[in-house]
Amino acid sequence: MPVNLPLPVAADLSPVAGLELGYAEAGIRKPGRKDLLVMKLAPTATVTGVFTTNRFCAAPVQVCKAHLEGIHISDSPIRALVINTGNANAGTGEAGLADANATCVALAELLECEPSQILPFSTGVILEPLPVDRIKAGLPQAIANLKSDGWYDAATAIMTTDTQPKAASRKITINGVSITLTGISKGAGMIKPNMATMLGFVAIDAKVSQHALDHMVKQAADNSFNCITIDGDTSTNDSFMLIATGVSSLEVNDIESPEYATLSEAVTSLSRELAQMIVRDGEGATKFIAVNIQEGSSVEECRQIAYSIAHSPLVKTAFFASDPNLGRILAAIGYAGVADLDVSKLDMYLDDVWVAKHGGRNPDYKEADGQRVMKQSEITIRVKLGRGDAAATIWTCDLSHEYVTINADYRS
């Protein structure tokens, strides 16, 4: 079960004017499940995204990048996104690219637009051909199901090993104009993004210039999806998309404006919630862990150390067992690669428990206190480096027997 993650309520997910969502059961990998999603956008929409840095990036990622680059040299806005689950279309070579493009062609014909105005996304098993004929056959059903309040079904339609859909909404007011933000994400394993999660989509109804939106998505990703890890594996298909439908009267063009700052903070906040949902639903997770590094010389250094702790199988299994073998954390800090780290200045805490002082065991630390914290479902590891004013937080989970079980028979 996810760690303290309630199911989203469909009625609480606000429609975003200028966007419709429709799903289909295309039988891409398994029958009788939602596995194909179409998101249709108003002609006024602007779209941007960030993608995996994995060199084996999937065919749909390559096509998305090409189509988004085309926005800057043409007057043809993105009109729809199409997402399938059950097959990643990664490690599929030229045939995979042809299949991703064929999906765009098929949807473009149905929506009467150009294939370059479609963005394709896939998630699922790697190294298997995309069943593009099933996708083509399912597209009419997805289009027939298009509706503005389809966010819950949309979140369900992009799941793989997720145990539940992940979705959330916000409403804010800027200059007297009400703005709606709604987003969905998916992911439970193969999560160590270099930009985003496996798949994430956030939509807002404001009118935002392409330049401002490009800036906004990077800010949001760097402070949300780029701060999570489950198992340290960067997916081939990671994609985080930000859509501004442009139907609101609010216009945001200047990244230095107060309107931009307010809207960007709301997008980041929503993205952070969606990112943390992924960690809470990590494959086999029983603990949600925040790794907070303080007093570093740079944010990059703090993240480097935080990820070293969060990726350590020894640390993660200790938390699963509630075993206060906390020297494992110090070891992970030591091999993080910060060559000039003076460990004699380092202090470490588990929630309110001061474990390590000046690089060694705190004389007042009692193992029973450490175990008390480790039995909780939510835990914060806090490390003070004594090197500066920078700080960073990474969110992760423990590593249980169930993670091995899930991934041992993922294809069955």
Side-chain angles (χ1 to χ4, degrees):
M1 294 294 293
V3 182
N4 301 330
L5 180 61
L7 271 170
V9 177
D12 293 339
L13 301 175
S14 302
V16 177
L19 188 150
E20 295 178 299
L21 310 101
Y23 71 88
E25 296 179 1
I28 293 169
R29 186 162 189 86
K30 296 179 180 180
R33 61 157 295 173
K34 301 179 183 73
D35 56 8
L36 183 63
L37 174 67
V38 170
M39 303 174 72
K40 183 182 177 184
L41 312 181
T44 53
T46 50
V47 182
T48 191
V50 285
F51 301 90
T52 183
T53 59
N54 192 312
R55 292 297 299 162
F56 254 110
C57 66
V61 171
Q62 297 176 57
V63 173
C64 276
K65 286 183 174 181
H67 289 185
L68 286 172
E69 287 174 3
I71 293 174
H72 299 282
I73 57 177
S74 72
D75 294 323
S76 301
I78 300 301
R79 294 302 312 279
L81 287 66
V82 55
I83 306 106
N84 75 267
T85 186
N87 185 296
N89 194 11
T92 48
E94 292 299 321
L97 282 171
D99 287 340
N101 281 308
T103 301
C104 294
V105 169
L107 182 55
E109 289 177 351
L110 294 170
L111 296 181
E112 299 182 346
C113 65
E114 295 299 319
S116 61
Q117 295 179 280
I118 307 295
L119 299 180
F121 303 84
S122 298
T123 182
V125 178
I126 298 170
L127 206 64
E128 293 188 4
L130 184 73
V132 68
D133 289 342
R134 296 178 195 172
I135 292 174
K136 289 179 180 179
L139 287 174
Q141 179 190 358
I143 291 173
N145 283 333
L146 284 170
K147 56 182 181 179
S148 60
D149 60 348
W151 284 101
Y152 185 90
D153 287 331
T156 303
I158 64 174
M159 292 167 51
T160 49
T161 58
D162 309 62
T163 67
Q164 66 179 60
K166 302 169 177 69
S169 286
R170 297 272 195 286
K171 283 186 180 293
I172 60 172
T173 300
I174 302 177
N175 295 342
V177 180
S178 178
I179 301 297
T180 300
L181 308 87
T182 299
I184 58 176
S185 64
K186 64 82 49 188
M190 205 175 196
I191 299 294
K192 195 278 179 182
N194 280 329
M195 39 48 61
T197 181
M198 287 187 70
L199 291 179
F201 305 92
V202 170
I204 55 182
D205 53 9
K207 183 177 180 61
V208 185
S209 69
Q210 192 68 55
H211 169 70
L213 202 69
D214 291 344
H215 198 264
M216 193 178 294
V217 76
K218 291 180 173 62
Q219 284 187 320
D222 283 345
N223 291 283
S224 59
F225 293 115
N226 270 350
C227 297
I228 64 171
T229 182
I230 289 174
D231 47 24
D233 276 314
T234 296
S235 167
T236 55
N237 293 61
D238 290 343
S239 304
F240 171 49
M241 308 304 298
L242 180 57
I243 302 162
T245 63
V247 300
S248 163
S249 61
L250 178 73
E251 292 192 31
V252 178
N253 300 310
D254 181 4
I255 64 173
E256 301 297 333
S257 68
E259 294 82 6
Y260 174 90
T262 302
L263 184 59
S264 182
E265 175 52 39
V267 169
T268 296
S269 175
L270 178 59
S271 302
R272 190 179 294 123
E273 181 178 357
L274 294 169
Q276 290 185 7
M277 287 179 182
I278 290 167
V279 175
R280 292 181 182 279
D281 195 24
E283 291 171 344
T286 69
K287 310 280 178 68
F288 177 81
I289 304 165
V291 184
N292 177 230
I293 309 299
Q294 303 175 353
E295 299 180 4
S297 62
S298 67
V299 172
E300 292 73 19
E301 174 183 278
C302 292
R303 286 191 178 189
Q304 185 176 342
I305 291 173
Y307 270 125
S308 186
I309 296 168
H311 289 156
S312 168
L314 289 176
V315 171
K316 294 165 81 71
T317 51
F319 275 94
F320 171 64
S322 300
D323 174 18
N325 191 353
L326 300 178
R328 294 177 175 183
I329 299 177
L330 295 183
I333 295 170
Y335 64 62
V338 180
D340 62 342
L341 181 66
D342 184 352
V343 298
S344 68
K345 296 181 179 179
L346 186 147
D347 292 338
M348 183 180 76
Y349 301 78
L350 279 187
D351 281 5
D352 60 335
V353 177
W354 194 351
V355 177
K357 183 177 183 179
H358 304 321
R361 180 175 177 134
N362 179 9
D364 297 328
Y365 169 66
K366 296 180 177 59
E367 193 164 286
D369 292 332
Q371 189 165 57
R372 167 180 58 81
V373 175
M374 293 186 79
K375 287 182 177 179
Q376 300 170 178
S377 60
E378 305 213 15
I379 303 162
T380 297
I381 301 169
R382 183 161 55 95
V383 179
K384 294 183 176 182
L385 300 178
R387 290 165 58 83
D389 299 324
T393 301
I394 298 298
W395 297 284
T396 189
C397 58
D398 58 344
L399 186 61
S400 72
H401 307 295
E402 189 65 17
Y403 177 86
V404 178
T405 300
I406 290 169
N407 283 283
D409 62 4
Y410 173 60
R411 292 176 44 164
S412 63

